[in-house]
Amino acid sequence: MADTPTPTVLLPEAEVARIVADLARQIAPVTDDDTVAAVLLTGGLWFAADLTRALSRIGRNLRFDALWLASYGDEQSSRGKIDVYAPFQRPIAGRKVLIVDDVFDTGLSLAEAVRIAREAGAAEVLTVVFAKKPWPLPRAPEPDFVGWEAPNRFLVGYGLDHAGTLRGLPDICALD
């Protein structure tokens, strides 16, 4: 990692926690304890863990599942296609599903996750992303809940990575 630039903090850990708690307050009224929170692996894991704990603190205990999708590999931009490495682990037919992801960039991963959930028979699909990056063209579907309108920079930390590294940073940083 000798040639990796030094990360610049954009969103400190305390602000990340405040945003997650605010999202939990928004999401709690439109979910119930039968709702399945489905994290998009790998990047969404940090956000999903914090979000489900924040929901639990206010009395909402969602079921938990995961989809393992990939569109970036080790690159800094999307390859334009989605690989599905692991599907849902539990039946979601007839349930409300909350897709949880770290960042909304191209929208490809979120769109694929919504499609997979609907094909699996979800009664309703909601989406939440921690960060939404600007994009020159409209994307579909737009997330139902967005924590932070991020700048158009390469982000790392809080689950966001650079070739598999820097995910564990507690802050969200720019690496450019």
Side-chain angles (χ1 to χ4, degrees), residues 10-158:
L10 300 178
L11 206 59
E13 182 178 10
E15 184 65 7
V16 169
R18 186 201 62 76
I19 290 168
V20 172
D22 184 56
L23 282 169
R25 285 188 293 277
Q26 294 175 51
I27 292 167
V30 297
T31 58
D32 58 35
D33 290 352
D34 284 331
T35 300
V36 177
V39 61
L40 298 190
L41 298 175
T42 301
L45 191 55
W46 284 256
F47 173 45
D50 287 348
L51 180 64
T52 54
R53 283 191 296 254
L55 284 161
S56 183
R57 283 185 206 102
I58 58 176
R60 181 70 67 228
N61 294 295
L62 277 56
R63 296 168 185 269
F64 196 81
D65 205 336
L67 280 173
W68 189 4
L69 308 178
S71 67
Y72 280 74
D74 282 347
E75 305 305 316
Q76 290 191 5
S77 61
S78 174
R79 294 172 292 139
K81 70 181 192 88
I82 302 296
D83 296 321
V84 179
Y85 294 122
F88 289 109
Q89 305 304 300
R90 67 177 64 248
I92 62 167
R95 295 184 188 274
K96 184 181 293 187
V97 175
L98 175 68
I99 305 289
V100 182
D101 200 10
D102 54 357
V103 65
F104 187 72
D105 193 344
T106 64
L108 291 173
S109 294
L110 198 66
E112 181 67 4
V114 168
R115 183 193 68 74
I116 291 168
R118 287 189 176 137
E119 281 187 3
E124 182 180 356
V125 181
L126 298 171
T127 56
V128 59
V129 296
F130 183 85
K132 180 182 173 194
K133 292 176 80 174
W135 200 254
L137 300 171
R139 297 163 284 187
E142 289 285 318
D144 295 303
F145 302 95
V146 174
W148 179 54
E149 295 288 341
N152 192 19
R153 298 176 72 180
F154 189 78
L155 305 176
V156 295
Y158 198 59

